[in-house]
Amino acid sequence: MDSSPTWWILGAGALGRLFAARLTTTLSLHLIGRHPAGAPLHYHALSSECSSVDVARTTLSALASKAHVRPSLVMLATKSYATLTAVEELAAHVAPQTPLLSLQNGFSIQPRLAELWAGPVLCASTTEAAYVEGDTGVVHAGKGTTWVGDLDNAWPTLARDCVYWLEKAGFSAYHDTAIVQRLWHKLAINAAINPLVARYRIRNGQLRDRPFRRMVDAVIDEIGSLLEEEGVVPPQAGWHTLVWEVIVATANNRASMLQDVLAGRSTERDAILGPLLAAAKRQRRYAPTLETLYHDTPS
Ligand SMILES: NC(=O)c1ccc[n+]([C@@H]2O[C@H](COP(=O)([O-])OP(=O)(O)OC[C@H]3O[C@@H](n4cnc5c(N)ncnc54)[C@H](OP(=O)(O)O)[C@@H]3O)[C@@H](O)[C@H]2O)c1
């Protein structure tokens, strides 16, 4: 195993900062934002302890003059809708075979990256939770697990190598040979929760109340049958249990889509609901609840 590879993280938002703060202790790490930013990062751990972490924060143009720091892997930590542009910008600065690791939610950018990028494209599904605080802070809001794999299972050694470095940095991580299934399951959870809480501006737990409970169940019914028709294996406990367990576990949370709507930012609507509507179209089926959700959610 390479004793100290160089990784870049493209996107210095919540997840980018979280992974950077921990990975910088075990490998050579560059956190790339759109604008120059000074180190250190203020990292608020789950224990509420805050520490200053010296992370090499930079921009792609600043890295252009440093040919010796080419990465052996680039983690993509942009929002789904910003990822293609970010990767186009990245392409001028790295070897075409450089492996990418997509951290995006949904199931829209992953197949597109796999199609257009010449090198390996790994995908992660993570339940880690983080949010930014000011220009330099990141709060680790929830401990999770990160699964890594690729859509065709063509890069198992690379995926295991990646997991090794994530674990070494203190993350709970696993290689997943069925990452496609896991991404769809996470999408199902996000699709059943995020657009509704964003539309009604409520915390996740309020979905248990009337009239929202019926709305959630109707969305789950549509998602489950669309995904099964696409060949996605249903979760062992069923779609309803999968979603309701997350609602209970995150009852006090404001979902990221709600935070985006409240802050007037773009949402990941297309990455989360888009693939379901595309599945409905492929299957020539009407998905009225999902259609309505899509139209009621800002893009
Ligand atoms: N946060 C979480 O807890 C969490 C958990 C699981 C999965 N995810 C997924 O992870 C992805 C990232 O989420 P996030 O919460 O970290 O988002 P975020 O806080 O909005 O961070 C995204 C970052 O990407 C930057 N960016 C956009 N375009 C760029 C470009 N061309 N070059 C360089 N940087 C660029 C943005 O910069 P500006 O600030 O300049 O726009 C922003 O700092 C999403 O798909 C999300 O669904 C997040």
Side-chain angles (χ1 to χ4, degrees):
M1 184 86 52
D2 183 343
S3 61
S4 182
T6 296
W7 283 15
W8 289 1
I9 297 179
L10 187 57
L15 222 48
R17 291 182 198 181
L18 172 69
F19 279 102
R22 305 264 285 269
L23 284 165
T24 200
T25 60
T26 58
L27 47 72
S28 168
L29 195 281
H30 294 265
L31 175 61
I32 303 169
R34 280 203 273 212
H35 314 287
L41 270 187
H42 294 106
Y43 169 57
H44 300 258
L46 284 166
S47 60
S48 308
E49 251 173 60
C50 179
S51 51
S52 290
V53 186
D54 268 320
V55 170
R57 295 187 69 179
T58 185
T59 59
L60 280 175
S61 44
L63 279 168
S65 57
K66 297 180 185 165
H68 59 287
V69 292
R70 294 308 93 164
S72 59
L73 180 136
V74 181
M75 270 180 136
L76 304 175
T78 45
K79 285 274 174 58
S80 184
Y81 52 77
T83 303
L84 275 191
T85 305
V87 167
E88 276 164 24
E89 291 162 4
L90 173 76
H93 302 273
V94 299
Q97 291 297 330
T98 306
L100 303 180
L101 172 60
S102 156
L103 295 179
Q104 284 68 40
N105 270 333
F107 194 71
S108 113
I109 194 64
Q110 298 86 345
R112 293 181 76 183
L113 287 173
E115 211 177 278
L116 67 85
W117 189 251
V121 177
L122 298 178
C123 306
S125 177
T126 186
T127 55
E128 297 287 355
Y131 59 89
V132 294
E133 213 171 58
D135 288 341
T136 58
V138 60
V139 179
H140 192 186
K143 168 134 188 75
T145 301
T146 302
W147 289 272
V148 179
D150 71 279
L151 301 185
D152 299 319
N153 261 320
W155 303 99
T157 308
L158 184 65
R160 282 195 291 268
D161 196 31
C162 185
V163 163
Y164 169 85
W165 289 105
L166 289 171
E167 281 191 310
K168 201 162 179 201
F171 293 102
S172 163
Y174 299 93
H175 174 211
D176 191 344
T177 55
I179 195 74
V180 173
Q181 303 282 327
R182 198 173 291 278
L183 288 165
W184 276 118
H185 284 195
K186 177 118 191 268
L187 178 147
I189 295 165
N190 287 333
I193 297 175
N194 293 7
L196 281 175
V197 295
R199 171 159 189 217
Y200 293 103
R201 302 187 177 212
I202 54 176
R203 288 180 191 266
N204 292 2
Q206 290 173 270
L207 290 173
R208 293 173 291 190
D209 304 336
R210 263 192 293 173
F212 308 118
R213 176 174 280 275
R214 267 189 303 119
M215 297 180 192
V216 177
D217 281 330
V219 183
I220 300 172
D221 285 339
E222 264 184 30
I223 293 173
S225 87
L226 284 172
L227 290 187
E228 285 176 34
E229 189 66 27
E230 288 292 297
V232 178
V233 180
Q236 228 169 15
W239 296 104
H240 285 265
T241 304
L242 177 79
V243 172
W244 282 109
E245 278 182 356
V246 174
I247 290 172
V248 170
T250 61
N252 212 24
N253 290 11
R254 276 208 185 95
S256 58
M257 194 178 274
L258 171 58
Q259 291 175 41
D260 288 338
V261 167
L262 292 175
R265 293 187 296 253
S266 302
T267 72
E268 293 194 297
R269 173 190 75 166
D270 288 340
I272 291 168
L273 293 175
L276 293 167
L277 293 178
K281 199 168 171 194
R282 262 192 307 276
Q283 296 169 24
R284 297 170 193 270
R285 288 168 68 182
Y286 183 46
T289 314
L290 290 166
E291 292 275 2
T292 306
L293 272 187
Y294 184 83
H295 290 297
D296 289 344
T297 307
S299 59

